[in-house]
């Protein structure tokens, strides 16, 4: 099953995240099928960059977003 999830980047206490499509059971730093955007929680505006068309196409193909990604996209 495919999941749309957050992949951590950066230093330990300064994490930023990539929003990626990957296999459900793969490691967080494992093989990625597609990169959809990024999220930086330390940014003052908490900006999320996301390719909405790619996101919708992966959902139509059956990929399930995690609860965190679902809340961020709202």
């Amino acid at each position: 099953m495919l999941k749309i999830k957050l992949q951590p980047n950066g230093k330990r206490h300064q994490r930023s995240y990539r929003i990626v499509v990957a296999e459900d059971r793969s490691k967080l730093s494992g093989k990625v099928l597609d990169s959809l955007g990024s999220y930086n929680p330390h940014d003052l505006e908490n900006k999320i960059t996301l390719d909405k068309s790619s996101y919708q196409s992966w959902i139509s193909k059956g990929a399930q977003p995690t609860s965190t990604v679902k809340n961020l996209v709202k």
Side-chain angles (χ1 to χ4, degrees):
M1 171 181 264
L2 295 176
K3 287 279 189 179
I4 300 173
K5 54 187 176 179
L6 296 176
Q7 182 182 42
N9 291 335
K11 293 188 230 177
R12 185 174 297 147
H13 295 291
Q14 295 179 355
R15 294 281 189 204
S16 62
Y17 299 92
R18 288 186 183 147
I19 301 171
V20 298
V21 178
E23 190 65 34
D24 183 24
R25 297 201 176 251
S26 69
K27 296 180 191 177
L28 288 177
S29 60
K31 187 176 177 182
V32 172
L33 296 175
D34 194 10
S35 180
L36 303 177
S38 63
Y39 168 62
N40 187 357
H42 302 289
D43 191 10
L44 296 177
E45 299 172 3
N46 285 339
K47 287 191 177 179
I48 300 169
T49 57
L50 180 68
D51 186 4
K52 292 274 189 175
S53 61
S54 293
Y55 179 78
Q56 290 299 327
S57 70
W58 277 108
I59 291 210
S60 67
K61 292 176 186 175
Q64 298 292 318
T66 60
S67 59
T68 305
V69 171
K70 198 180 288 187
N71 289 334
L72 287 175
V73 171
K74 284 185 181 178

